[in-house]
Amino acid sequence: MRVVVPFDGDDPKTSLSPVLASEQRHAFAAAMLRDVLDALDSVATGFDIDVRVLSTTPLDADTLGRFASADSLAVSVTVDERPLDAVVNAAIDAAGPETPVAVVMADLALATPEALGRLLGVPTDAPEATAGDVRIAPGRGGGTNALVVRHPDFRVNYHGASYLDHLRVASEVGASVFEVDSMRLSTDIDAPADLAELLIHGDGESTAWLRDSGFEVVAAEAGAAVRREHE
Amino acid sequence: MRVVVPFDGDDPKTSLSPVLASEQRHAFAAAMLRDVLDALDSVATGFDIDVRVLSTTPLDADTLGRFASADSLAVSVTVDERPLDAVVNAAIDAAGPETPVAVVMADLALATPEALGRLLGVPTDAPEATAGDVRIAPGRGGGTNALVVRHPDFRVNYHGASYLDHLRVASEVGASVFEVDSMRLSTDIDAPADLAELLIHGDGESTAWLRDSGFEVVAAEAGAAVRREHE
């Protein structure tokens, strides 16, 4: 299976601008990307996966970390400056109708090998693994955080409440949909409030980066929030 | 297994006051409770579950719907005006050390039989089913939306970021913890923004109630929001 990971190398995570400067957003986004690649590396799929990071800019060795060189996981980088939909749909076209394509967002820093395994469909003989021409892990607010395309006519459309759009597209092309029900895949780290989720549930590089940057969880009236102790 | 469902019959869902009047909050909370009971009724557990609604007030037949009389699911109502922790811990005490107790919040209106099955541990021979003296489905913001207690010394503490508190309690009493990774169980319907989740992903009575009350999803810059067409 081909797994594509779209990544904004230009100006990542602008929605975190209220709490992180540009340089910090670059470092944090890169740490999240490595967390996602780490989790993909640990999925015991029983089938080959090749991972392509689809980046708007070339990525240096620091950004890719151990995945910059040959490693257990085959990771390649394709630079494509076009908008997200065009880039992902080109990747689906390039894979051809016989190759399933998974699209995993680079800010799913809470993704575990287990959650990604459920997305990709392992163990392969489980009923939940074979269900769905299109498999979608919805994000909060109607987003599509991860999906697997196993139907030749399905193409993505990430504008607006993309989850509902993707249901519509699937229906139009006659593709069945399976929902991958995962809190971890539903939590894209986008807004400042999402940082609390990472601090509570994360254990990867991006969580360590946040802690090192002075962020910590504080109990708030309606749940948890984050506070920054130092910069 | 005993499943307890705490319910605020007095003044439910005060956090929805900005968009729903008191009478409407009562009707909506009751519809969500019935959705949760419906989902529990459809879990193919392979073992008996008895469900106890722990309510701060007596519940009339309308609130319980088809669960008011003998039905496929054994539902009883216990009225207990004490705060949440005291009520739930009394239920754990009453069940005794040999009976696992699940605690499922009454506002998990997106819960599916599949998600609840994963919480309760079915199929019972799956490795994920047997893991964890305490099984927790975390909610957004550090909450504990659902849990299963299978350790004699574990007691709940729902104040603040209860997920972290529950990890601490489990550690103190030597109980292992298994995380139930479910978007649907992580989504408690509490704040107005949560209504969008229900409109996007729900198909039960509470979703129908929202639609009938004029709520609809609108695409917003950062995902989805809700709008009310009429009252």
Side-chain angles (χ1 to χ4, degrees), chain B residues 199-215:
Chain B
L199 289 168
I200 292 170
H201 298 288
D203 62 359
E205 260 197 79
S206 53
T207 304
W209 187 94
L210 275 185
R211 289 194 211 288
D212 290 346
S213 303
F215 287 93

Side-chain angles (χ1 to χ4, degrees), chain B:
Chain B
M1 185 182 298
R2 181 160 298 171
V3 181
V4 301
V5 182
F7 182 75
D8 179 2
D10 268 316
D11 189 20
K13 296 285 119 199
T14 50
S15 45
L16 290 176
S17 301
V19 293
L20 293 177
S22 172
E23 200 169 307
Q24 295 177 312
R25 287 188 279 111
H26 275 275
F28 180 57
M32 292 204 290
L33 172 64
R34 290 190 296 274
D35 282 341
V36 170
L37 296 176
D38 260 330
L40 282 168
D41 193 21
S42 298
V43 179
T45 58
F47 49 83
D48 285 340
I49 60 174
D50 76 281
V51 176
R52 303 201 174 185
V53 177
L54 308 178
S55 175
T56 55
T57 61
L59 300 180
D60 59 22
D62 281 354
T63 297
L64 287 170
R66 70 183 176 95
F67 301 102
S69 53
D71 201 279
S72 52
L73 187 70
V75 174
S76 63
V77 177
T78 303
V79 178
D80 193 328
E81 297 178 3
R82 288 178 293 170
L84 182 61
D85 285 353
V87 170
V88 170
N89 285 330
I92 295 172
D93 286 339
E98 301 300 321
T99 304
V101 176
V103 185
V104 177
M105 292 302 162
D107 61 356
L108 299 185
L110 286 179
T112 53
E114 294 71 27
L116 288 169
R118 287 203 281 129
L119 170 76
L120 301 182
V122 288
T124 50
D125 57 351
E128 306 83 43
T130 53
D133 297 325
V134 176
R135 300 165 65 84
I136 305 184
R140 195 173 164 85
T144 305
N145 285 2
L147 87 164
V148 176
V149 181
R150 317 197 269 200
H151 188 285
D153 299 327
F154 184 89
R155 293 297 180 274
V156 300
N157 179 348
Y158 282 103
H159 297 291
S162 63
Y163 178 72
L164 296 173
D165 289 330
H166 286 146
L167 292 188
R168 201 171 304 127
V169 173
S171 168
E172 282 166 12
V173 302
S176 63
V177 174
F178 177 78
E179 175 194 284
V180 180
D181 175 22
S182 165
M183 176 273 288
R184 288 178 170 273
L185 298 183
S186 76
T187 310
D188 48 325
I189 306 299
D190 200 41
D194 300 326
L195 300 181
E197 303 303 318
L198 201 47
L199 289 168
I200 292 170
H201 298 288
D203 62 359
E205 260 197 79
S206 53
T207 304
W209 187 94
L210 275 185
R211 289 194 211 288
D212 290 346
S213 303
F215 287 93
E216 61 178 12
V217 175
V218 289
E221 188 75 18
V226 288
R227 175 173 67 186
R228 194 168 190 181
E229 278 280 293
H230 63 82
E231 302 220 352

Side-chain angles (χ1 to χ4, degrees), chain A residues 109-197:
Chain A
L110 286 179
T112 53
E114 293 72 26
L116 289 169
R118 286 203 282 129
L119 171 75
L120 301 182
V122 288
T124 49
D125 58 351
E128 307 82 44
T130 53
D133 298 325
V134 176
R135 300 165 65 83
I136 304 184
R140 195 174 164 85
T144 305
N145 285 2
L147 87 164
V148 176
V149 180
R150 316 197 270 200
H151 187 286
D153 299 326
F154 184 89
R155 293 298 179 276
V156 301
N157 179 348
Y158 282 103
H159 298 292
S162 64
Y163 179 72
L164 296 174
D165 289 330
H166 286 146
L167 292 188
R168 202 171 303 129
V169 173
S171 169
E172 282 166 10
V173 302
S176 63
V177 174
F178 178 78
E179 175 194 283
V180 180
D181 175 23
S182 165
M183 176 272 289
R184 288 177 170 273
L185 298 183
S186 77
T187 310
D188 47 324
I189 306 299
D190 200 42
D194 300 326
L195 300 180
E197 303 303 317

Side-chain angles (χ1 to χ4, degrees), chain A residues 17-209:
Chain A
S17 301
V19 294
L20 293 177
S22 171
E23 200 168 308
Q24 295 176 312
R25 287 188 279 113
H26 275 275
F28 180 57
M32 290 205 290
L33 172 65
R34 291 191 296 274
D35 283 341
V36 169
L37 296 176
D38 259 331
L40 282 169
D41 194 21
S42 298
V43 178
T45 57
F47 49 83
D48 286 340
I49 60 174
D50 76 281
V51 175
R52 304 202 174 185
V53 178
L54 308 178
S55 175
T56 54
T57 61
L59 299 180
D60 60 22
D62 281 355
T63 297
L64 287 171
R66 70 183 175 94
F67 300 101
S69 53
D71 200 276
S72 52
L73 187 70
V75 175
S76 63
V77 177
T78 302
V79 178
D80 193 328
E81 298 178 1
R82 288 177 295 170
L84 181 62
D85 285 353
V87 170
V88 170
N89 285 330
I92 294 172
D93 287 338
E98 301 300 320
T99 305
V101 176
V103 185
V104 177
M105 292 302 161
D107 61 356
L108 299 185
L110 286 179
T112 53
E114 293 72 26
L116 289 169
R118 286 203 282 129
L119 171 75
L120 301 182
V122 288
T124 49
D125 58 351
E128 307 82 44
T130 53
D133 298 325
V134 176
R135 300 165 65 83
I136 304 184
R140 195 174 164 85
T144 305
N145 285 2
L147 87 164
V148 176
V149 180
R150 316 197 270 200
H151 187 286
D153 299 326
F154 184 89
R155 293 298 179 276
V156 301
N157 179 348
Y158 282 103
H159 298 292
S162 64
Y163 179 72
L164 296 174
D165 289 330
H166 286 146
L167 292 188
R168 202 171 303 129
V169 173
S171 169
E172 282 166 10
V173 302
S176 63
V177 174
F178 178 78
E179 175 194 283
V180 180
D181 175 23
S182 165
M183 176 272 289
R184 288 177 170 273
L185 298 183
S186 77
T187 310
D188 47 324
I189 306 299
D190 200 42
D194 300 326
L195 300 180
E197 303 303 317
L198 202 47
L199 289 167
I200 292 169
H201 298 288
D203 62 359
E205 259 196 79
S206 53
T207 304
W209 187 94

